[in-house]
Amino acid sequence: MIVRILNEGQWDLSDDAVNQLNSLDDMVEQAVATGDQQQLAEALHSLLEQVRSSGRPVPDDQLSDSDLILPAADATLDEIRELLSGADEGLVPNL
Amino acid sequence: MSGIFQRISLIFRAKTDKALDKMEDPRQTLDYSYQRQLELLQKVRRGVADVATSRKRVELQATQLNSQADKLTAQAQKALEVGREDLAREALTRRSGLQQQLTDLQAQHAQLQGEEEKLTRASQRLQAKVDAFRTRKETIKATYSAAEAQTRINEAFSGISEEMGDVGMAIQRAEDKTAQMQARAGAIDELLASGALDDPTGTAKDDITLELEALASTSDVESELASMKAALGTGPSAAAPALGSQPASGQPVAPAAPGQYQAPLAQNNYEAPPAQPNQGDLR
């Protein structure tokens, strides 16, 4: 399973490793729901650390779609809410 | 794994796909997409350059603040030497204000450096993916018919458009941060311009410098006077009796000696104020 950490790149994770991330997913979701920046930062940090340590980096010149996209390590509550809002324009900037 | 990240992923993908579903002939889409990738790559490189410029500006300001802080320390030292504790206190107070600014600048510098590194890595990653896309694009165009090409193209697109979305966000972020820094840097420039901080051209002097210079020039004058008097041999001991003798010898003589204008005026006022204008008019 390929996981992208925004701003960092992609990692290839085994299904087992992905399953271990589930509790951290809940923690992030809770932090976003309650608006707790501190908890968000901590949960994100552990989550991304686990992806980096248990995953294998996908080479830069490999074009592959990610199965899962994770926010950047220093993402704020606002940025995550932004990521969750579908109303927005496309992400590729208007050049 | 489901929940929040699944949602983020779905929405992210929907957003990145928006840019690329316009073309009729899929092979035309390949060229269009490649064009946009190259443009984005250029934009990232410009972004890296912009962040680097901001970082250098912060460095320059930190250097200026540092030298100003050093100068204030020297001023405080000097003020204490001439016994002006009030001036020394003022100089040190200003320095502690600068120290606060410096701490902020250092934090900004670290942030900009982080952004610069991230963007540089993003730029390298995107470059590698764009190269890979170009290779794949040529293969697809040469090998497959228009109908077959569509599936291949979708595969190639999903990876690159995701990368473009990611890099697009990184660029946006860096631009926002740089704009913030520039606003703050502008505020420090204003401080510099108002003379509160050191003027690098050296044209303006702050009030502490002016006062210390005034003190220094007063004491220079005094010491020069003293050494001149000493060189004359008569010295202060000879001058003192001479001045003392004048008032002692007689009051009318004393005002005449230091200034000739004062004496006649005093006489006019007391003896014949109306007589002198009349005399002048008549003769």
Side-chain angles (χ1 to χ4, degrees), chain B residues 63-98:
Chain B
T63 312
Q64 285 178 339
L65 285 178
N66 255 325
S67 72
Q68 178 68 7
D70 289 349
K71 191 178 142 192
L72 283 166
T73 311
Q75 282 182 337
Q77 188 69 39
K78 210 159 144 193
L80 268 188
E81 279 164 15
V82 297
R84 287 290 303 272
E85 198 179 319
D86 57 330
L87 267 188
R89 193 181 300 277
E90 176 64 26
L92 291 179
T93 309
R94 284 185 201 176
R95 198 194 59 179
S96 80
L98 290 188

Side-chain angles (χ1 to χ4, degrees), chain B residues 106-142:
Chain B
Q106 274 153 4
Q108 286 178 39
H109 186 257
Q111 240 187 338
L112 283 176
Q113 213 161 24
E115 286 306 312
E116 196 178 338
E117 280 163 21
K118 271 185 218 160
L119 269 192
T120 307
R121 280 200 301 274
S123 163
Q124 287 162 354
R125 221 163 45 226
L126 186 62
Q127 175 72 68
K129 301 238 185 232
V130 168
D131 289 346
F133 184 87
R134 193 192 56 226
T135 310
R136 201 177 298 186
K137 158 175 98 84
E138 295 311 320
T139 314
I140 293 170
K141 279 167 85 172

Side-chain angles (χ1 to χ4, degrees), chain A residues 6 69-72 75-86 88 91, chain B residues 4 7-12 15 169:
Chain A
L6 289 175
I69 294 171
L70 305 180
T76 62
L77 282 167
D78 284 345
E79 283 171 319
I80 292 194
R81 291 198 184 107
E82 182 102 343
L83 283 171
L84 286 167
S85 88
D88 223 32
L91 285 173
Chain B
I4 192 164
R7 274 189 286 148
I8 287 178
S9 309
L10 285 172
I11 293 162
F12 188 90
K15 284 177 184 174
M169 279 173 67

